[in-house]
Amino acid sequence: MDFDVLYTRITHHLATGREAEAISLLKDNLNDYQQVAEFWILYAACHLNLEQWSEAEAAARVALGLNPEHPVAGEQLAVALSGQHRRDEALATIQQVIAVAPEHARGHYLLGIFLLGNIQNNDERILARQATEHALKLEPENPDFYQGAALAADIAGDHRGAMRLLEAGLRIDPHHQGLLRSAGSIEMGRKIVGDHGQLLRSMLASDPMNEKLHEDYAENFLAKQAVYADRWWLSIPALAAVAAFGHAASLPVTLIVVVLVLGGGGLFAWWNTSTYKRTEKPLPSGYIKDIHARFPALPKAMRGYQASWVAAVAGAVAGCFVPLAGAILMLLGVVAGRVAAALIFREISGPPQNRQDPEERRVHLVRLSGGYAAGFWKRVLIVFAHLAFFGVCMARPSQMAAVPMWSAGLGLLMVGGVLAYCQLRLGFKNNAFAYGLAVSSSAKARGFALLRGNIGGMYFIGLHLVFGFIAFVLSLSFLGGAPQSSDGSGGTVDEEPSGPVQLPREELDRLTRSPAPMPEEFSFSPMPELPDIPSLDQ
């Protein structure tokens, strides 16, 4: 087969996702073109599309052996090395390509993309932006380069610049999938493309066989499920605060409290059900099963939230009559809610498919710790809300006062525990706190930034663990015995009697009877001798 014809057919197969047929066709023509560098470049392209990194590396090296200065073969080798998480080798290879062919725009673009994938310091962040923008200058009509430049500007903190690049790229190609997908990750990008879920659905309608779009669509749905974590964290202590007024009250008051608990629980259930239905509404028919297959922990988390709600409502009703039993049920509901939230956060952070791959594990732990560390001040406000609920519970002291403390303590301990685990697993250089500071520092100051990041991380973790442990211990102490209000009016054990005291007859007799004196209790002192008194006659 003529090589031009072979090239055209292979290119068509790659464009239509028929890589297996392309590889088979290349094997049939191997004897004729095994000394042609472009033949091995086609071979490497097929394996790159299939993400068969080691095979792509081997084909690219053969092409470079036949033509050491071929820029396409060099960039293919760099991509294959990057796919195997060999970052330093990939950077060295693509820099060599740039040195040989400085006007090869894609070389500069790939340099920026490789750096963006795992930035080590601020110098690399600046270099990534410079590389992507230089590629854009060399080929100003390439929408791929606008995507890379927009991502680099967004990571550098120039969100307005990222928006301008995104808009410019979409003017060139309004249907460019890379730009449209990137709009969901770029801050304020949705102002251009609208709701990301709706956008992905329309893209899937025109390209239903695109696996990347399906993956983005599922991840977009999963990310929206994180909204329930804070809702459940606040709702159960709120129910406990309401239920506390039903204990030791008159029957009409207790019944009113029970109605309020059931009404509040029903309103909360309706709120979350309507939120879930709005999230599920854009999904194609039956697509939720595909999402559950991709994220097997998601249905478990949903069942955990349901169990948490049932336990919380049942415990709040029971707490109006038997506070200890109600408090125990509500504590179990708190545990179920926090476990459900943990399952969703774990799925959002992308658990590694290959647990033996250290880079996949590193990325997962960094994303997991970043997700738990985010929203610190929001978490502070939620803890203060728990303290307010605890204060309300203390108005009618009972074991229900343990619920807000338990909820606050468990939430803080879970955050601190996950962060501590990630800190230990990632080590001194790669943990999220150190990495975050190192990225914003120069290469020379990276060591000091890592030190500050580790110290700050340990302080942050310790803050959660200490306050979480205190609240947890207090909740257990309240659970063991009904707490007393500050004015002393809540308890019944140490109260002063309001009526006359009736003492036993024996005790009354003992107190009123005068004891008979014993002989040895008397003592006599001798009378002093009186002086002689002269007689009157003298």
Side-chain angles (χ1 to χ4, degrees):
M1 181 183 298
D2 184 72
F3 186 77
D4 291 338
V5 177
L6 177 64
Y7 181 88
T8 302
R9 292 185 62 180
I10 296 298
T11 304
H12 175 71
H13 287 338
L14 291 176
T16 55
R18 296 154 62 187
E19 287 83 4
E21 295 181 34
I23 292 174
S24 178
L25 185 58
L26 287 170
K27 287 181 178 179
D28 292 340
N29 293 270
L30 178 60
N31 293 331
D32 296 332
Y33 301 108
Q34 58 181 339
Q35 298 302 319
V36 178
E38 286 75 10
F39 176 86
W40 292 103
I41 289 173
L42 292 174
Y43 219 122
C46 294
H47 289 297
L48 287 175
N49 279 14
L50 295 172
E51 297 185 355
Q52 296 173 347
W53 309 118
S54 58
E55 292 85 350
E57 178 189 355
R61 289 191 185 279
V62 173
L64 282 174
L66 295 171
N67 186 354
E69 296 186 356
H70 202 299
V72 177
E75 72 179 43
Q76 286 181 331
L77 177 59
V79 172
L81 292 171
S82 178
Q84 298 175 74
H85 308 305
R86 294 154 64 180
R87 178 179 184 268
D88 293 339
E89 296 179 58
L91 288 174
T93 302
I94 202 62
Q95 285 171 344
Q96 185 177 359
V97 171
I98 294 173
V100 172
E103 299 302 311
H104 184 62
R106 189 166 175 82
H108 295 277
Y109 168 76
L110 288 176
L111 174 61
I113 295 301
F114 293 159
L115 291 171
L116 291 174
N118 186 9
I119 294 177
Q120 298 296 313
N121 49 62
N122 193 48
D123 297 346
E124 290 189 354
R125 181 162 55 182
I126 295 173
L127 179 58
R129 187 172 187 185
Q130 291 174 345
T132 53
E133 291 181 351
H134 187 68
L136 195 57
K137 290 179 181 178
L138 294 173
E139 291 187 18
E141 298 301 319
N142 192 326
D144 290 340
F145 297 166
Y146 280 97
Q147 179 187 357
L151 290 173
D154 188 65
I155 291 177
D158 184 7
H159 306 305
R160 294 186 180 277
M163 290 274 286
R164 288 194 297 270
L165 290 166
L166 191 64
E167 290 177 329
L170 288 173
R171 281 197 296 269
I172 296 172
D173 185 358
H175 305 290
H176 190 273
Q177 288 190 0
L179 285 167
L180 293 173
R181 290 171 59 198
S182 296
S185 58
I186 292 176
E187 190 169 338
M188 299 186 298
R190 298 184 183 183
K191 292 182 178 180
I192 300 174
V193 299
D195 181 74
H196 202 225
Q198 295 287 353
L199 170 67
L200 290 172
R201 179 170 184 175
S202 63
M203 293 171 67
L204 275 174
S206 59
D207 189 6
M209 303 304 294
N210 191 320
E211 179 60 24
K212 293 293 184 182
L213 286 177
H214 285 283
E215 184 178 347
D216 284 359
Y217 198 21
E219 289 179 355
N220 179 263
F221 176 82
L222 177 66
K224 293 181 179 179
Q225 308 312 306
V227 68
Y228 304 110
D230 290 338
R231 292 185 185 182
W232 251 264
W233 199 13
L234 281 170
S235 65
I236 298 180
L239 280 179
V242 175
F245 288 92
H247 171 59
S250 60
L251 183 60
V253 173
T254 301
L255 293 178
I256 291 174
V257 171
V258 170
V259 171
L260 290 175
V261 167
L262 293 176
L267 184 64
F268 182 72
W270 171 83
W271 181 29
N272 290 286
T273 302
S274 61
T275 301
Y276 184 82
K277 287 182 176 179
R278 284 196 305 271
T279 308
E280 190 182 23
K281 186 177 180 180
L283 298 178
S285 178
Y287 201 80
I288 192 67
K289 294 182 179 179
D290 179 74
I291 293 178
H292 287 173
R294 290 176 183 272
F295 308 113
L298 181 58
K300 298 177 184 178
M302 293 296 105
R303 289 194 293 270
Y305 278 133
Q306 293 169 357
S308 175
W309 176 82
V310 171
V313 174
V317 173
C320 296
F321 305 96
V322 186
L324 180 60
I328 292 175
L329 278 175
M330 298 196 79
L331 299 187
L332 294 176
V334 171
V335 173
R338 298 313 300 173
V339 169
L343 289 174
I344 289 181
F345 287 145
R346 181 179 180 275
E347 289 288 3
I348 290 175
S349 63
Q353 297 180 354
N354 180 13
R355 296 182 178 274
Q356 304 303 319
D357 190 334
E359 181 62 18
E360 287 191 23
R361 294 201 308 269
R362 185 193 70 82
V363 172
H364 164 62
L365 291 175
V366 168
R367 293 182 63 184
L368 183 65
S369 55
Y372 272 93
F376 173 75
W377 292 111
K378 181 180 181 180
R379 195 153 51 245
V380 170
L381 291 176
I382 292 177
V383 170
F384 275 112
H386 279 72
L387 294 177
F389 292 139
F390 171 73
V392 173
C393 289
M394 289 297 291
R396 299 296 294 270
S398 69
Q399 284 87 354
M400 298 300 286
V403 177
M405 287 289 100
W406 176 281
S407 178
L410 187 62
L412 292 176
L413 286 176
M414 180 167 288
V415 172
V418 171
L419 291 176
Y421 171 77
C422 295
Q423 184 97 342
L424 292 174
R425 289 293 303 274
L426 289 169
F428 180 82
K429 294 182 178 180
N430 292 320
N431 67 78
F433 298 99
Y435 180 76
L437 282 181
V439 168
S440 60
S441 66
S442 64
K444 292 182 179 180
R446 189 171 188 271
F448 182 64
L450 290 175
L451 179 61
R452 289 191 297 117
N454 280 276
I455 294 174
M458 288 186 289
Y459 172 77
F460 189 84
I461 293 170
L463 199 67
H464 286 79
L465 291 179
V466 168
F467 284 101
F469 181 75
I470 292 173
F472 198 75
V473 171
L474 286 175
S475 71
L476 293 178
S477 65
F478 294 150
L479 191 65
Q484 302 300 317
S485 61
S486 58
D487 60 357
S489 61
T492 58
V493 177
D494 297 326
E495 291 179 349
E496 292 293 334
S498 58
V501 179
Q502 298 294 331
L503 296 177
R505 185 176 184 82
E506 294 81 0
E507 185 70 13
L508 187 61
D509 291 343
R510 186 184 70 79
L511 294 176
T512 56
R513 185 171 58 246
S514 299
M518 300 301 291
E520 57 271 16
E521 294 180 0
F522 293 96
S523 62
F524 298 91
S525 58
M527 294 292 293
E529 292 184 3
L530 297 176
D532 294 336
I533 302 177
S535 62
L536 294 177
D537 295 337
Q538 296 178 356

